[in-house]
């Protein structure tokens, strides 16, 4: 089992944190995981991205050249990373902020209205966690519980008030996929990455 | 999970390092920040110097007092430190210097690179000297080789360098924390106050012409011992491999994925992964009995290539695949280069 992830959006959307939660959850589940951030001036705004690999075997390349899954939080990132998703892979994107302009053949598209959902939760900064909850429901190589544990582990003590909020958003992402009964379609339609 | 840069800091503290001096530069800042946070907690001293030159000189001072010390920087900052590295070598002082190197020459950019291979392994500053150079390829190795660097640096009284790149520095991976070092060997030569004993002198400039020639002889003798004993390399499928990659650091992981994929296709490929760049693992090249071709992959214009050629001494054709300036090869392109070499060798169209 191996998954290569590209995660991308604007600086400030919690892209790197999303990736860290995913990678930590991978470790907590007993798998190998790697995480590489963009480490330039993106931290101060502009585009941000990170690469995550989770595998049951030792990871050779921590760099992601073509992804099993892309999680996209803005239009420029969709244009950059959408074409890099493997055939049979999954592209999750915030449907209010990004829209594929060109056909992506063989890629399973998962538009998620995370912006509206985050506003409904009154947690406008939580789109990243909504997307993570959705991801782990669509492609449950890790459990949402493991992601919750990861959130608890990596959130610094002085920001502990974020833990509960992030877990709420994670659950909202999970419930959205379950309620829409989308995950149930997974085996029949070959969803969920390579 | 930890970042590679943080792993170096944690390992240094576990190895007994209590003095860090340095000046910020991307992509190694997490190490400096880690030391700023953690060293005061263990009664250590973190000092952000006004420049790399000053930081390196502070390192010299604390090392002369017999303490385990660290500085870190990235390529252009490491160039600024080279005068002191030569002085450390001359005074035979143990110290650990970290270079998380970046695209160069000049100020360059923060992209990952391996273009400081020559500087690290051929001295870097003035004079006939070498320092230990370690090339970690994972976050775990950032820790393990840092621990080893302190041990060997003390044992041989020689500066040691951890030569990483922006990717191994920035990436996070899970690590197993090494046990802290309980007792650091006594340093009878240290200049740390001489009450009740003869005073010690730590000098980088011997007093007579003969003394300097003697020092050089002594250094070379020490280097000979180190070359004999301290070469380290990971050998991957080399026992039956006909075509062999040589790669260090992050590139070795990309090449390793190519070894896997070519093996699946039935190609007898393997890899030598140097973990020490000085001493260069020459002996590893005597243990590739089936080799018909060697491909050196590195993120520079052909620096380790020279050492590989010397180690093989014309026995096997050697090709290079690499570029400087922050370029990172894709596994697909590495595989294509290897297939090209295999074809050339099979067609007998290859010269040394």
């Amino acid at each position: 089992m191996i998954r290569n992830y590209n995660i991308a959006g604007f600086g400030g959307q919690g892209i790197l944190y999303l990736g860290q939660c995913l990678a930590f959850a991978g470790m907590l589940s007993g798998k190998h995981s790697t995480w590489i951030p963009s480490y330039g001036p993106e931290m101060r705004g502009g585009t941000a991205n990170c690469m995550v690999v989770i595998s049951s075997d030792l990871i050779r390349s921590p760099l992601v050249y073509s992804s099993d899954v892309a999680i996209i939080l803005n239009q420029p990132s969709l244009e950059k990373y959408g074409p890099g998703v493997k055939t049979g892979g999954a592209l999750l994107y915030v449907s209010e902020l990004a829209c594929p302009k060109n056909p992506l053949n063989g890629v399973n598209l998962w538009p998620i209205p995370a912006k509206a959902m985050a506003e409904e939760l009154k947690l406008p900064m939580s789109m990243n966690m909504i997307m993570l909850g959705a991801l782990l429901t669509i492609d449950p190589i890790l459990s949402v519980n493991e992601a919750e544990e990861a959130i608890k582990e990596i959130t610094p003590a002085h920001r502990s008030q974020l833990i509960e909020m992030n877990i709420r958003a994670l659950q909202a992402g999970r419930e959205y996929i379950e309620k829409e009964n989308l995950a149930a379609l997974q085996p029949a339609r070959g969803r969920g990455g390579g | 999970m930890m970042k590679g840069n943080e792993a170096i800091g944690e390992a240094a503290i576990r190895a007994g390092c209590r003095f860090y001096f340095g000046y910020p530069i991307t992509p190694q800042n997490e190490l400096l920040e880690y030391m700023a946070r953690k060293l005061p907690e263990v009664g250590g001293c973190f000092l952000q110097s006004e420049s790399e030159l000053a930081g390196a000189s502070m390192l010299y001072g604390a090392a002369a007092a017999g303490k385990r010390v660290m500085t870190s920087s990235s390529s252009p900052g490491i160039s600024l430190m080279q005068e002191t590295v030569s002085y450390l070598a001359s005074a035979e002082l143990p110290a650990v210097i970290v270079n998380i190197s970046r695209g160069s020459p000049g100020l360059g950019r923060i992209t990952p690179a391996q273009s400081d291979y020559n500087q690290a392994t051929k001295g870097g500053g003035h004079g006939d000297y070498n320092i230990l150079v370690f090339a970690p390829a994972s976050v775990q190795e950032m820790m393990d080789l840092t621990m080893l660097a302190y041990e060997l640096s003390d044992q041989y009284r020689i500066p040691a360098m951890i030569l990483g790149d922006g990717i191994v520095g920035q990436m996070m991976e899970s690590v197993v924390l090494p046990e802290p070092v309980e007792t650091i060997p006594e340093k009878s030569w240290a200049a740390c106050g001489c009450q009740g004993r003869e005073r010690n002198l730590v000098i980088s400039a011997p007093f007579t012409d003969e003394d300097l020639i003697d020092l050089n002889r002594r250094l070379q003798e020490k280097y000979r011992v180190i070359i004999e004993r301290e070469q380290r390399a990971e050998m991957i499928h080399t026992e039956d491999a006909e075509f062999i990659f040589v790669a260090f650091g992050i590139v070795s992981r990309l090449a390793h994925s190519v070894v896997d994929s070519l093996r699946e296709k039935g190609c007898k490929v393997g890899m030598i992964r140097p973990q020490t760049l000085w001493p260069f693992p020459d002996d590893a090249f005597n243990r590739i009995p089936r080799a018909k071709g060697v491909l050196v992959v590195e993120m520079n214009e052909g620096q380790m290539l020279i050492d590989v050629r010397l180690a093989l001494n014309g026995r096997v054709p050697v090709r290079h695949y690499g570029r400087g300036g922050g370029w990172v090869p894709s596994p697909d392109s590495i595989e294509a280069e290897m297939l090209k070499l295999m074809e050339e060798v099979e067609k007998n169209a290859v010269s040394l």
Side-chain angles (χ1 to χ4, degrees):
Chain A
M1 189 291 299
I2 184 164
R3 291 284 188 282
N4 288 283
Y5 301 91
N6 268 317
I7 305 166
F10 287 122
Q13 284 180 320
I15 298 295
L16 302 187
Y17 181 82
L18 195 180
Q20 276 191 15
C21 288
L22 181 59
F24 262 83
M27 181 190 73
L28 293 175
S29 77
K31 298 181 180 67
H32 298 275
S33 53
T34 60
W35 171 92
I36 299 183
S38 49
Y39 56 85
E42 296 94 332
M43 287 168 73
R44 281 94 191 167
T47 60
N49 67 282
C50 64
M51 303 169 183
V52 172
V53 182
I54 297 178
S55 172
S56 44
D57 297 317
L58 275 174
I59 295 166
R60 305 290 190 227
S61 170
L63 299 171
V64 174
Y65 290 90
S66 58
S67 59
D68 301 301
V69 182
I71 305 165
I72 299 297
L73 278 76
N74 70 6
Q75 187 64 28
S77 300
L78 192 143
E79 282 160 28
K80 186 169 176 193
Y81 295 102
V85 181
K86 290 177 192 169
T87 303
L91 174 64
L92 283 73
Y93 57 97
V94 177
S95 55
E96 299 100 324
L97 300 179
C99 174
K101 287 192 178 141
N102 302 309
L104 294 161
N105 293 329
V107 173
N108 299 298
L109 301 180
W110 293 92
I112 313 236
K115 188 164 186 283
M117 291 166 68
E119 279 161 10
E120 198 176 312
L121 290 170
K122 298 200 166 41
L123 300 170
M125 298 294 287
S126 69
M127 284 189 291
N128 58 344
M129 292 294 105
I130 292 171
M131 296 303 278
L132 180 60
L135 167 74
L136 296 180
T137 314
I138 292 166
D139 182 29
I141 60 156
L142 314 169
S143 68
V144 172
N145 282 347
E146 280 157 345
E148 284 185 16
E149 289 308 306
I151 289 171
K152 288 176 194 162
E153 184 139 335
I154 66 175
T155 305
H158 67 280
R159 307 188 78 172
S160 59
Q161 80 282 2
L162 294 177
I163 292 174
E164 187 267 348
M165 295 179 198
N166 280 337
I167 290 175
R168 262 167 60 209
L170 191 76
Q171 294 296 356
R174 177 178 63 78
E175 284 160 18
Y176 173 77
I177 299 293
E178 282 176 353
K179 196 156 58 192
E180 302 286 315
N181 208 16
L182 295 170
L185 299 173
Q186 188 182 345
R189 291 171 53 180
R191 289 183 190 268
Chain B
M1 289 185 93
M2 290 183 111
K3 275 193 170 191
N5 287 333
E6 295 171 337
I8 294 174
E10 181 60 33
I13 291 170
R14 282 169 184 261
C17 169
R18 291 295 178 270
F19 293 85
Y20 175 97
F21 313 97
Y23 185 83
I25 181 171
T26 306
Q28 62 80 53
N29 283 328
E30 294 80 7
L31 170 52
L32 178 125
E33 289 163 6
Y34 195 85
M35 295 309 243
R37 253 194 335 268
K38 298 282 181 170
L39 271 178
E41 290 174 12
V42 293
C45 167
F46 167 88
L47 203 154
Q48 183 177 321
S49 53
E50 71 270 31
S51 70
E52 287 86 350
L53 284 82
S57 297
M58 294 169 186
L59 182 85
Y60 182 104
K67 301 300 179 191
R68 285 197 164 173
V69 297
M70 175 173 271
T71 188
S72 63
S73 189
S74 181
S75 307
I78 294 289
S79 289
L80 286 168
M81 295 178 179
Q82 289 301 337
E83 179 192 29
T84 304
V85 179
S86 174
Y87 279 48
L88 287 164
S90 173
E92 298 183 84
L93 287 177
V96 176
I97 301 153
V98 180
N99 181 2
I100 304 299
S101 55
R102 59 190 238 175
S104 296
L107 184 60
R109 296 184 61 78
I110 63 173
T111 41
Q114 298 180 324
S115 300
D116 300 348
Y117 178 94
N118 280 347
Q119 184 194 53
T121 60
K122 312 298 179 210
H126 57 284
D128 284 291
Y129 76 90
N130 282 103
I131 61 173
L132 299 167
V133 183
F134 298 92
S138 65
V139 176
Q140 185 69 53
E141 245 182 15
M142 289 289 227
M143 293 203 109
D144 298 345
L145 292 179
T146 299
M147 301 289 284
L148 182 66
Y150 277 103
E151 187 188 322
L152 297 183
S153 178
D154 267 3
Q155 182 183 333
Y156 293 103
R157 291 187 61 185
I158 183 174
M161 177 174 280
I162 304 292
L163 183 62
D165 61 72
I167 299 175
V168 279
Q170 292 291 329
M171 70 183 283
M172 279 182 126
E173 249 176 338
S174 55
V175 288
V176 178
L177 298 174
E179 284 300 311
V181 172
E182 293 290 334
T183 44
I184 296 167
E186 201 64 31
K187 288 167 180 165
S188 58
W189 47 264
C192 54
C194 63
Q195 204 167 25
R197 63 160 166 82
E198 283 290 300
R199 68 177 185 151
N200 285 332
L201 279 177
V202 175
I203 51 171
S204 70
F207 298 120
T208 69
D209 298 351
E210 289 74 23
D211 285 350
L212 183 55
I213 294 167
D214 277 351
L215 168 68
N216 272 267
R217 265 200 213 112
R218 199 168 66 246
L219 289 178
Q220 292 304 316
E221 177 54 26
K222 173 159 76 182
Y223 298 157
R224 198 189 56 70
V225 174
I226 293 173
I227 288 168
E228 203 178 288
R229 292 187 192 160
E230 305 298 348
Q231 298 178 26
R232 282 171 173 78
E234 185 187 3
M235 309 293 279
I236 296 155
H237 299 310
T238 43
E239 59 293 331
D240 71 337
E242 296 177 346
F243 293 90
I244 293 173
F245 290 106
V246 187
F248 70 94
I250 185 63
V251 184
S252 69
R253 297 180 63 148
L254 306 177
H256 202 157
S257 72
V258 178
V259 170
D260 290 346
S261 69
L262 285 174
R263 282 260 159 189
E264 270 171 33
K265 293 173 190 166
C267 303
K268 287 193 170 164
V269 294
M271 177 160 71
I272 296 175
R273 179 174 77 84
Q275 292 160 300
T276 54
L277 299 178
W278 196 91
F280 190 70
D282 288 310
D283 295 345
F285 292 81
N286 296 326
R287 290 186 275 132
I288 46 172
R290 306 274 167 92
K292 294 184 193 171
V294 167
L295 181 65
V296 181
V297 189
E298 46 185 342
M299 300 195 300
N300 60 48
E301 299 285 347
Q303 299 192 17
M304 180 171 66
L305 171 67
I306 311 295
D307 286 333
V308 173
R309 285 212 167 115
L310 286 170
L312 284 166
N313 201 16
R315 293 197 302 276
V316 182
V318 181
R319 286 284 178 279
H320 180 256
Y321 179 52
R323 221 157 289 155
W327 167 91
V328 183
S330 70
D332 286 351
S333 71
I334 295 173
E335 183 168 325
E337 286 294 317
M338 184 51 110
L339 291 171
K340 210 161 79 187
L341 171 65
M342 289 161 78
E343 197 184 314
E344 276 179 37
V345 169
E346 298 305 337
K347 279 187 185 159
N348 224 355
V350 69
S351 59
L352 295 169

